[in-house]
Amino acid sequence: MLGLLTLLAAVSVVPGAPTATYVSTADIKAALAQMPPGKTTYDKPIKAVDVGPYKVTIVILRRVPKEGSEDSALSHERVTEVYQIISGAGTFETGGTLVNLTSEAAGPSTRGTIEGGESRVMAPGDVVVIPPGLPHRFSKLDGTITYLVTRIEAH
């Protein structure tokens, strides 16, 4: 009996210990409902959690194709991103060399054009992990696409 009590004490929740953070379907739907009409790209953080050496942010993104426009590629210096396609489909391009560069503060990130990247069609349920420094973009959208992004940023 004493051994069981010792084991239970060892696995009980420690005050001040980290807790789980949840993002519900209702949270995602509420964030999407805030997308302004006529906007072609919507990038809405839902929840952010500081977990010590990293900040984890859950984001919902929706992109509506705009005739005659093309997305530039991005590369993030300290951010790993995980994309999970919820609805829609598109061709996702990664790798290669980023040229025609411009800098952005967020991430910090660099925008440009990919030369020599790899393309893959992504559809609902597909997931891609994009490590820091990897150029990436949707080179073609097959209609509106919605995807959940987990951003893991090193402090």
Side-chain angles (χ1 to χ4, degrees):
M1 181 69 146
L2 182 58
L4 178 60
L5 289 175
T6 304
L7 177 61
L8 287 174
V11 297
S12 64
V13 176
V14 177
T19 59
T21 299
Y22 294 89
V23 175
S24 69
T25 302
D27 295 332
I28 294 167
K29 287 180 180 179
L32 285 171
Q34 296 174 19
M35 182 174 179
K39 192 160 180 156
T40 57
T41 300
Y42 183 64
D43 184 329
K44 175 75 174 172
I46 299 172
K47 292 198 180 172
V49 182
D50 192 329
V51 291
Y54 300 96
K55 179 173 118 180
V56 178
T57 305
I58 306 298
V59 178
I60 191 71
L61 267 116
R62 177 167 282 161
R63 295 202 172 163
V64 180
K66 184 178 176 185
E67 191 67 35
S69 75
E70 187 174 318
D71 280 348
S72 59
L74 277 170
S75 174
H76 308 292
E77 199 173 293
R78 296 187 315 260
V79 177
T80 295
E81 291 185 312
V82 180
Y83 290 12
Q84 180 178 0
I85 308 303
I86 295 173
S87 65
T91 303
F92 196 65
E93 185 179 13
T94 58
T97 303
L98 201 57
V99 297
N100 304 321
L101 307 177
T102 60
S103 293
E104 292 189 7
S109 301
T110 304
R111 279 198 180 273
T113 305
I114 294 176
E115 288 185 352
E118 173 188 350
S119 293
R120 219 174 251 218
V121 174
M122 294 187 68
D126 290 344
V127 176
V128 61
V129 177
I130 306 153
L134 184 70
H136 58 282
R137 74 177 183 133
F138 278 99
S139 59
K140 179 179 180 282
L141 297 178
D142 301 331
T144 299
I145 190 168
T146 303
Y147 51 105
L148 197 64
V149 178
T150 303
R151 291 184 178 139
I152 306 152
E153 182 176 0
H155 286 303

